[in-house]
Each structure stands twice: as structure tokens, then as C-alpha cells.
Amino acid sequence: AQSVTQLGSHVSVSEGALVLLRCNYSSSVPPYLFWYVQYPNQGLQLLLKYTTGATLVKGINGFEAEFKKSETSFHLTKPSAHMSDAAEYFCAVSVDDYKLSFGAGTTVTVRA
Amino acid sequence: GAGVSQSPSNKVTEKGKDVELRCDPISGHTALYWYRQSLGQGLEFLIYFQGNSAPDKSGLPSDRFSAERTGGSVSTLTIQRTQQEDSAVYLCASSPPSRNTQYFGPGTRLTVL
């Protein structure tokens, strides 16, 4: 079975500062890894995904994540936070190519 | 193009009543998924449909929950004899044949009084 741990249920950053959201996974086989974002009263939107190949993955809205197998991590970063980045972010893992297991989510607030 | 749509967006029902939630996937997507998002349990997988294959129902929490997918397109999630713990947002997603990217709808917020 696979699982995901997101460190920190709430992160507050200043506008223009680095955004770092931590995700660690456990899986007995090579996983597929995803980051999704959820804005209030909306569904989930895919930010980026790792399947195979390059371990540094670039997504939408300036986000990127790096797959580190040795650390079983897939942390999400953005160099400079924008007010529009305020949302809830979910890390997810899949080992069977369809069933997603989600972390508990991290809520990001951006201070002006 | 059109995304995944779900209806109704909000549903309030009384304990013990049956409810049906609808999902229209993206045209051409062969796979369809239901998830539940609740305060206590986070995001949970419920059921997965792929083409004409038997669905993976391993995430359904009880036999009060069922789902069907007609004609390989629209899906209905039915909850019988609703309980207060069924209150949650029910999310539907679909994916193309490659399967590894799921596109989510806006969800149906179910409140059981």
C-alpha cells in the first residue's frame, strides 16, 4: 500500500517569498507522484506530475517539484509567491496507474 | 473544451433519504473516478470505471453506496439511507486512455441533516 505525508497543514508566506510545501511518500514500487491545487469551492487542478524520466518537474503557475527517491520526497516549490497562490495544495501518489492516495493537504496563505 | 461537470453543486437531504449525484466526464475520456472529501477523512478514493471492465469498488465505505456508468460516459453515485457521516464533497474525475492524469470536476457538496 502507498501513503503520503504532507508536513505542515498550514503555511504562511509573504508575497514574493519562496513557497516550499513538503511531501513524503511511502511505496513499495516506483510511484507516480502528483501535486494538485484546490481553490475555495472548486475542484482539484493538476499542478504537475512525475511519472518517469527527469526528476525535476515543472508545472503550471511557476511551480516545480523534484522527485528524490533516496529521500522518498516530492517537495513543491515556487520561487516567488503571488497573492493568487493562496489555496490548498494536495500531494498524491499512485502505484497502479489510477487510484490516487492523497495527503491531508496544506493550506497556503500569502501575506501582502 | 468542456471540463468534468457535476450536478447538483449542492444537495441537502434528511437522514435516511436516498440521493443521486451525477458526473459528466470529459468527452473521449475512458476512465472515471469518484472521490470523497470530508473534514475527518480527507480525500478518499471511492470507485473507478475503465471502459467496459468491471469497476474497482474497493473504496466504497458501505453497501449503501453504489455507482454506475451508462454507455461509458455519464456516471451516477447513489447513496441509500443517508447518514450524517455521509456529509462531504463528492468529487468526480475522468482521464484519457493514458490514465495517469485525472481531471476533476467542481464537486457536489452533500449535507445530511
Side-chain angles (χ1 to χ4, degrees):
Chain A
Q2 66 276 10
S3 66
V4 174
T5 301
Q6 290 185 240
L7 297 176
S9 60
H10 192 193
V11 169
S12 180
V13 299
S14 297
E15 191 172 21
L18 171 72
V19 179
L20 170 61
L21 305 183
R22 300 179 186 274
C23 172
N24 288 88
Y25 69 90
S26 66
S27 171
S28 57
V29 298
Y32 299 121
L33 295 160
F34 306 82
W35 275 99
Y36 282 86
V37 61
Q38 186 176 35
Y39 298 100
N41 299 314
Q42 295 188 26
L44 299 170
Q45 180 182 4
L46 180 69
L47 278 177
L48 48 79
K49 65 180 180 182
Y50 169 79
T51 53
T52 59
T55 57
L56 181 62
V57 180
K58 294 187 183 299
I60 61 171
N61 302 339
F63 285 94
E64 64 181 35
E66 186 171 11
F67 170 59
K68 292 187 176 180
K69 183 178 179 180
S70 62
E71 298 177 8
T72 61
S73 69
F74 191 56
H75 302 330
L76 180 72
T77 61
K78 181 174 179 177
S80 178
H82 190 271
M83 298 299 288
S84 61
D85 295 326
E88 189 162 18
Y89 293 78
F90 293 92
C91 182
V93 62
S94 173
V95 298
D96 52 18
D97 201 25
Y98 65 92
K99 189 185 305 180
L100 291 173
S101 294
F102 287 90
T106 299
T107 299
V108 172
T109 56
V110 182
R111 305 186 303 272
Chain B
V4 177
S5 61
Q6 293 185 244
S7 60
S9 56
N10 281 284
K11 176 71 176 178
V12 180
T13 190
E14 293 179 349
K15 178 181 174 181
K17 295 287 181 76
D18 298 351
V19 295
E20 288 187 349
L21 312 180
R22 177 187 169 103
C23 172
D24 282 271
I26 294 171
S27 178
H29 281 194
T30 56
L32 188 146
Y33 317 75
W34 285 97
Y35 293 84
R36 180 170 69 174
Q37 185 174 25
S38 58
L39 284 176
Q41 302 298 322
L43 274 157
E44 307 170 277
F45 166 82
L46 296 178
I47 189 169
Y48 160 69
F49 295 90
Q50 173 62 269
N52 295 321
S53 302
D56 177 350
K57 304 179 182 180
S58 61
L60 294 179
S62 77
D63 58 8
R64 295 186 297 104
F65 288 72
S66 63
E68 64 177 16
R69 189 179 185 192
T70 54
S73 182
V74 172
S75 177
T76 302
L77 177 69
T78 301
I79 309 173
Q80 296 179 308
R81 305 180 302 281
T82 52
Q83 304 295 312
Q84 288 184 332
E85 61 262 29
D86 299 334
S87 296
V89 176
Y90 290 82
L91 293 166
C92 176
S94 68
S95 65
S98 64
R99 293 195 294 175
N100 62 23
T101 299
Q102 297 180 27
Y103 298 85
F104 284 79
T108 293
R109 181 175 298 277
L110 174 66
T111 303
V112 182
L113 301 176

